[in-house]
Structure formats: C-alpha cells, structure tokens
C-alpha cells in the first residue's frame, strides 16, 4: 500500500509526501521548510530522504534548509552542480542505477526538460508496489511494467494553449517554451496507452498550468482513456 499527500504542486512550488507504511519520503522540496513542517504537523524527523528532479526553484527551494535539518537529498550530478552550493547531505545518484532508501528501491531515469540533468524516479517497495514519479518533461521514452501508482505531470492541453495564443493571452514564445519543457495532456494519454496499466490503482495528475489546463476535463479524459481512479493534485 502506498499513501500519497500533495503538499504543493504547480509553478509556485512542488512537494509531495509518500509512504509505504514503513519509509516516508519527500518528492521535491519546492516550498519553504516551514511550509513543509506545517503540512506534516512538524513530523519531519521520520523522513528517510528527499528526491529532487531538477534545479528549478519550484522544485528545490528548501534544499539548503532541508539539508541543514539533517535530511539526505538525492539528485543527479548535473542538478547538484547547478545548485550553486555544496552540502554533505546532498547526494548524487546516477541515471539508471538503482539505490536503496529504507524499504524503497529507487531507479532514476532521464527525462526531457530545459535544465542540466533532470530525473524522473521509479520507486518499488517490498510489498511489490511500483510508483512512477515524473514531472517537468515533454516526453518519456521508457515503458514501465507492473506500475501500481503514477504521479505524473499533465501541465497543459494543446487545444487550450493554442486557443490562448490565438486570443493573445499567451505570447507565442511562451507556448514554445511550454511545449519544450512540460508534459501535455495529449502526450500523457499517449504515454499511458503504451504502458501496461493492468495493476494500476491510482493516477495522480501533477503540475497543472493555471491558464492552460482544465482540472475537470483532464480528470475525465484520463479516466476515459485508462479506466483507472484519477486524482488531480
């Protein structure tokens, strides 16, 4: 069994708490440590670590404070180099090389974003659950067998984004940047259709754009495409 709590999601900050009942983790720390403490009722000492996908502030804002509080933080060598400071609690992990964190076996994989070395993470626990965590990527090149949970970006709809450009509310250069750095609803559904979802229990949609998405529509479309329980973070 996997428990998932969204502490924050979107361009203002991303932070998620997960646990398999034995080992709680944070995925991202893009809000202040005070906000993290408050959201977790000040129970942060039992966290086994923090996974960070890349160096944009909405994903790593609290890295220094989290490290100073004695929590180990795991990220790519490229992300570590891009932070601009060193800390003994910040650990580099290599792409496609598994590592262990409590009862979790974690596999980092490469994704596509406009940063130095962004990661997604595949997390498996001892009970046989498999959680895919992928955000801030316009494409995922891999297939993942045996997934039970997905936490995955669905940032924008191409139709909504194009409509906003045509109406003048979104400049065309911003559309190009969004399309080259974030996962669209259309790409998400295509990705889901080529993966084996037979064991999937939950799909959590993350990092929806304030102006280029529609929460109800996205939930309905992903439910219709997969037949699975869908939550919007």
């Amino acid at each position: 069994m996997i428990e998932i709590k969204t502490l924050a999601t979107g361009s203002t900050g991303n932070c998620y708490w997960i646990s398999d009942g034995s080992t709680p983790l944070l995925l991202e720390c893009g809000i202040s440590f005070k906000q993290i403490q408050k959201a977790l009722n000040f129970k942060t000492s039992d966290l086994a670590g923090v996974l960070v996908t890349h160096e944009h502030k909405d994903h790593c804002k609290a890295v220094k404070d989290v490290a100073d509080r004695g929590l180990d933080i795991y990220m790519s060598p490229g992300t570590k180099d891009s932070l601009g400071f060193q800390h003994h609690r910040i650990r580099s992990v290599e792409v496609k090389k598994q590592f262990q964190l409590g009862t979790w076996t974690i596999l980092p994989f490469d994704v596509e974003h406009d940063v130095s070395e962004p990661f997604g993470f595949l997390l498996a626990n001892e009970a046989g659950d498999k959680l895919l965590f992928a955000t801030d990527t316009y494409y995922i090149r891999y297939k993942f067998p045996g997934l039970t949970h997905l936490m995955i970006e669905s940032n924008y709809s191409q139709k909504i984004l194009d409509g906003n450009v045509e109406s003048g509310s979104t400049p065309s250069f911003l559309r190009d940047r969004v399309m080259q750095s974030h996962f669209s609803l259309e790409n998400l559904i295509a990705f889901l259709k080529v993966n084996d979802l037979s064991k999937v229990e939950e799909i959590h949609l993350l990092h929806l754009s304030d102006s280029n998405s529609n929460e109800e529509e996205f939930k309905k479309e992903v439910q219709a495409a997969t037949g699975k329980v869908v939550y919007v973070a």
Side-chain angles (χ1 to χ4, degrees):
M1 181 184 135
I2 293 178
E3 188 180 356
I4 297 167
K5 291 179 185 175
T6 297
L7 310 189
T9 190
S11 57
T12 57
N14 295 271
C15 188
Y16 312 91
W17 176 94
I18 65 165
S19 179
D20 62 352
S22 298
T23 305
L25 302 174
L26 281 186
L27 308 179
E28 315 284 40
C29 54
I31 55 177
S32 72
F33 189 66
K34 285 184 179 179
Q35 288 174 290
I36 293 170
Q37 286 179 307
K38 190 173 180 182
L40 296 178
N41 295 316
F42 295 88
K43 295 177 183 176
T44 56
S45 59
D46 63 343
L47 290 167
V50 184
L51 307 183
V52 170
T53 60
H54 65 287
E55 67 267 23
H56 282 159
K57 289 298 180 190
D58 59 323
H59 294 261
C60 72
K61 178 180 180 179
V63 160
K64 190 172 187 310
D65 288 339
V66 168
D68 286 343
R69 296 302 180 105
L71 293 172
D72 291 328
I73 308 166
Y74 301 84
M75 61 186 69
S76 72
T79 300
K80 183 180 178 183
D81 289 345
S82 297
L83 288 178
F85 67 92
Q86 301 290 321
H87 198 291
H88 69 281
R89 289 288 183 180
I90 298 175
R91 313 290 176 90
S92 293
V93 290
E94 299 294 328
V95 68
K96 297 180 187 174
K97 288 189 178 178
Q98 289 185 346
F99 65 98
Q100 200 75 24
L101 205 47
T103 48
W104 296 101
T105 301
I106 302 168
L107 178 69
F109 60 92
D110 50 303
V111 296
E112 307 292 335
H113 194 48
D114 56 348
V115 288
S116 54
E117 193 182 1
F119 274 171
F121 296 100
L122 179 67
L123 302 96
N125 65 18
E126 294 173 353
D129 300 310
K130 278 189 182 180
L131 167 65
L132 179 72
F133 180 67
T135 184
D136 290 55
T137 182
Y138 64 85
Y139 179 69
I140 300 175
R141 68 185 71 205
Y142 305 108
K143 293 180 183 177
F144 301 91
L147 294 175
T148 58
H149 296 72
L150 289 92
M151 298 173 67
I152 192 161
E153 180 179 47
S154 185
N155 183 259
Y156 70 97
S157 155
Q158 193 67 54
K159 185 172 103 178
I160 296 173
L161 180 59
D162 289 343
N164 286 339
V165 172
E166 286 171 21
S167 71
S169 60
T170 298
S172 57
F173 78 84
L174 187 56
R175 171 174 60 185
D176 296 341
R177 196 255 163 188
V178 168
M179 290 174 62
Q180 291 167 13
S181 56
H182 289 285
F183 217 30
S184 69
L185 172 66
E186 294 82 2
N187 282 348
L188 169 60
I189 289 174
F191 168 78
L192 292 170
K193 285 183 174 178
V194 299
N195 275 271
D196 173 17
L197 304 182
S198 58
K199 295 182 179 178
V200 168
E201 298 171 19
E202 300 175 356
I203 299 172
H204 295 251
L205 305 183
L206 314 178
H207 212 311
L208 273 70
S209 163
D210 289 339
S211 55
N212 298 313
S213 69
N214 180 304
E215 185 175 321
E216 265 184 53
E217 179 186 319
F218 281 28
K219 182 175 181 178
K220 281 181 187 175
E221 290 205 32
V222 175
Q223 281 178 331
T226 63
K228 300 297 179 178
V229 175
V230 177
Y231 299 98
V232 178

